[in-house]
């Protein structure tokens, strides 16, 4: 169904779902009930957001009605007026658990529990109040937008969990690792540990694996995991909810083995698939996961990336220089692609292109070495060297 058509039909379905809730309020307030809608709620494919949400979080009929009551207060002024009338106070034009228990059918006290979906998944928020039943209830903003058919995200995750780069073509050796990781992510509560020498190639494989698993890739750096248990619990619930709502998949990037403890504590509270990506020197001990390594490409595979990036005509002009560069410098895929595009734009002969490719390789190799060792500038010169006469 076209997005615009579905959105209009979803809004009609939401209006139809709100009608019996408003009618229950009217009966409780002893006010005239509204007439039944002239048309029934349309059948949607995919289903209406309220139906998807109710099934996703296993809401009881009463919990579904409570959620709709809170949505109605935000969306329709008549709900505000009827809430005030039902509670006998013009200042109480809001939903409460007490009002819901009194006015809505199939009411059950367990819906108020912190372990039931309305509160566990923060579908509704309880404002400060004297009692649990008398405190104002508000629907979570992310959930309200979802019911209305509007795309949004949970702002509480902003700055902590970020989008991963858009899809790009990946070479075969990365694609094979990504496919294996995607299959492992398909298991219930799937956990995958992705390793490999190149951080850039691991990142490509991680994003591709999540996409192949049918998930929108999102990134969390392990260094940003909250240090305290309550903060981690909040993050785990927020992400587990958002993963369901947006069909998203999480990649946690580990840069230091010291990040293992908060990582394991967070993963223990997340009940959706997670991919952990780590360098061999930072592998998290104690992580129960399917381990998949992203292989280092051979010289021939690196040459193919160079050639694809530069273009066949330019590669042919380099008279074998590309073979030497690919054999000498073990660069990762994004680096080769960026360098190849730059070389392809040069208006130079094959020899000059070969020298340029060699300079690029040396510069990146030097940068990689500087990540492993500290360069020391000598304080002495050759004249300072004193040796025996012999």
């Amino acid at each position: 169904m076209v997005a615009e058509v579905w959105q209009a039909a979803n809004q009609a379905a939401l209006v139809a779902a709100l009608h019996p809730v408003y009618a229950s309020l009217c009966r409780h307030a002893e006010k005239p009930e509204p007439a039944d809608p002239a048309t029934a709620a349309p059948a949607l494919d995919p289903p209406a957001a309220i139906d998807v949400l109710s099934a996703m979080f296993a809401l009881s009929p009463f919990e579904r009605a409570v959620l709709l009551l809170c949505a109605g207060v935000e969306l329709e002024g008549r709900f505000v007026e009827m809430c005030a009338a039902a509670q006998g106070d013009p200042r109480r034009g809001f939903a409460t658990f007490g009002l819901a228990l009194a006015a809505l059918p199939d009411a059950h006290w367990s819906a108020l529990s912190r372990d039931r979906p309305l509160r566990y998944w923060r579908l509704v928020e309880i404002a400060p109040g004297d009692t649990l039943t008398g405190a104002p209830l508000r629907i979570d903003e992310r959930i309200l937008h979802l019911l209305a058919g509007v795309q949004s995200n949970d702002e509480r995750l902003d700055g902590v969990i970020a989008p991963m780069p858009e899809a790009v073509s990946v070479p075969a050796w990365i694609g094979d690792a990504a496919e294996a990781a995607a299959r492992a992510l398909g298991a219930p509560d799937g956990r995958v540990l992705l390793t490999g020498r190149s951080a850039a190639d691991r990142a490509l494989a991680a994003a591709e694996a999540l996409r192949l698993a049918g998930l929108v890739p999102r990134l969390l750096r392990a260094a940003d995991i909250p240090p305290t248990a309550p903060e981690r619990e909040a993050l785990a619930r927020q992400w587990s909810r958002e993963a369901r709502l947006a069909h998203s998949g999480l990649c946690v990037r580990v840069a230091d083995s010291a990040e293992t403890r908060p990582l394991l504590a967070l993963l223990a509270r997340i009940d959706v698939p997670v991919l952990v990506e780590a360098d061999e020197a930072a592998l998290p001990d104690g992580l129960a996961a399917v381990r998949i390594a992203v292989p280092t490409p051979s010289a021939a595979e690196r040459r193919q990336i160079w050639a694809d990036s530069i273009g066949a005509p330019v590669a042919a002009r380099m008279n074998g220089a590309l073979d030497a560069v690919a054999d000498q410098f073990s660069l990762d895929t994004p680096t080769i692609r960026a360098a190849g595009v730059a070389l392809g734009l040069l208006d130079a002969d094959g020899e000059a292109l070969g020298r340029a490719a060699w300079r690029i390789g040396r510069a990146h190799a030097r940068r990689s070495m500087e990540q492993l060792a500290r360069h020391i500038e000598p304080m002495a010169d050759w004249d300072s060297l004193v040796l025996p006469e012999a």
Side-chain angles (χ1 to χ4, degrees):
M1 182 179 290
V2 178
E4 292 79 5
V5 175
W6 179 88
Q7 189 170 38
N10 177 74
Q11 290 178 353
L14 179 58
V15 170
L18 288 170
H19 176 80
V21 177
Y22 182 72
S24 295
L25 276 181
C26 293
R27 285 193 296 271
H28 182 69
E30 299 181 346
K31 300 291 185 181
E33 294 184 36
D36 289 334
T39 57
L44 299 184
D45 184 19
I50 181 59
D51 296 328
V52 172
L53 194 70
S54 298
M56 182 180 293
F57 297 112
L59 300 182
S60 70
F62 174 64
E63 288 165 337
R64 183 179 188 271
V66 171
L67 189 65
L68 286 167
L69 171 61
C70 295
V73 170
E74 297 288 344
L75 297 171
E76 299 183 5
R78 61 176 183 161
F79 270 82
V80 175
E81 297 171 0
M82 197 55 63
C83 283
Q87 296 179 95
D89 187 340
R91 297 169 299 178
R92 295 183 65 81
F94 48 78
T96 67
F97 274 131
L99 174 60
L101 288 167
L104 301 180
D106 303 316
H108 56 94
W109 181 263
S110 61
L112 283 62
S113 167
R114 293 169 57 189
D115 296 325
R116 289 292 299 172
L118 289 177
R119 296 184 63 192
Y120 183 89
W121 293 114
R122 299 184 68 173
L123 306 182
V124 298
E125 302 284 353
I126 304 176
D130 295 335
T131 64
L132 175 61
T133 57
L137 281 183
R138 286 196 64 182
I139 187 171
D140 180 79
E141 181 181 348
R142 171 73 169 97
I143 301 301
L144 180 64
H145 291 318
L146 180 74
L147 293 183
V150 177
Q151 294 295 328
S152 66
N153 62 286
D154 191 337
E155 65 178 10
R156 288 165 294 197
L157 296 173
D158 291 348
V160 180
I161 295 178
M164 296 185 76
E166 295 294 329
V168 296
S169 61
V170 297
W173 69 90
I174 292 179
D176 292 342
E179 288 178 5
R183 288 192 295 271
L185 287 169
D189 299 341
R191 295 288 186 269
V192 172
L193 174 59
L194 198 64
T195 66
R197 174 184 169 187
S198 165
D201 284 352
R202 289 197 312 269
L204 282 179
E208 182 68 7
L210 292 169
R211 291 189 188 98
L212 290 175
L215 303 171
V216 179
R218 294 289 183 267
L219 175 66
L220 167 65
R221 300 181 189 278
D224 293 332
I225 295 175
T228 66
E231 290 176 309
R232 285 195 299 269
E233 175 67 21
L235 176 61
R237 290 197 195 186
Q238 288 162 7
W239 171 253
S240 295
R241 190 186 81 167
E242 186 65 18
R244 289 172 166 84
L245 297 178
H247 303 290
S248 297
L250 185 63
C251 170
V252 182
R253 182 166 295 162
V254 180
D256 192 315
S257 57
E259 299 164 351
T260 296
R261 185 174 179 181
L263 167 66
L264 295 180
L266 178 70
L267 293 183
R269 304 301 299 168
I270 292 178
D271 64 351
V272 291
V274 177
L275 184 149
V276 177
E277 178 243 299
D279 184 82
E280 292 288 344
L283 294 181
D285 292 331
L287 174 62
V290 176
R291 181 169 172 176
I292 297 171
V294 180
T296 300
S298 65
E301 289 169 331
R302 291 194 297 271
R303 188 200 184 284
Q304 187 60 51
I305 302 176
W306 277 105
D308 292 343
S309 303
I310 295 173
V314 177
R317 296 207 316 264
M318 295 180 67
N319 300 322
L322 214 53
D323 294 330
V325 172
D327 186 58
Q328 179 67 26
F329 302 109
S330 184
L331 305 182
D332 58 50
T333 304
T335 298
I336 295 176
R337 284 177 170 168
V341 171
L343 287 178
L345 297 175
L346 293 179
D347 183 15
D349 58 29
E351 185 176 345
L353 288 171
R355 291 195 300 269
W358 195 268
R359 286 195 300 271
I360 291 172
R362 289 184 61 185
H364 283 281
R366 185 181 303 115
R367 190 174 304 128
S368 298
M369 180 61 69
E370 288 172 351
Q371 294 174 356
L372 302 175
R374 181 167 59 93
H375 179 70
I376 299 176
E377 292 289 345
M379 301 298 293
D381 55 24
W382 284 109
D383 293 335
S384 304
L385 182 63
V386 178
L387 297 173
E389 193 65 32

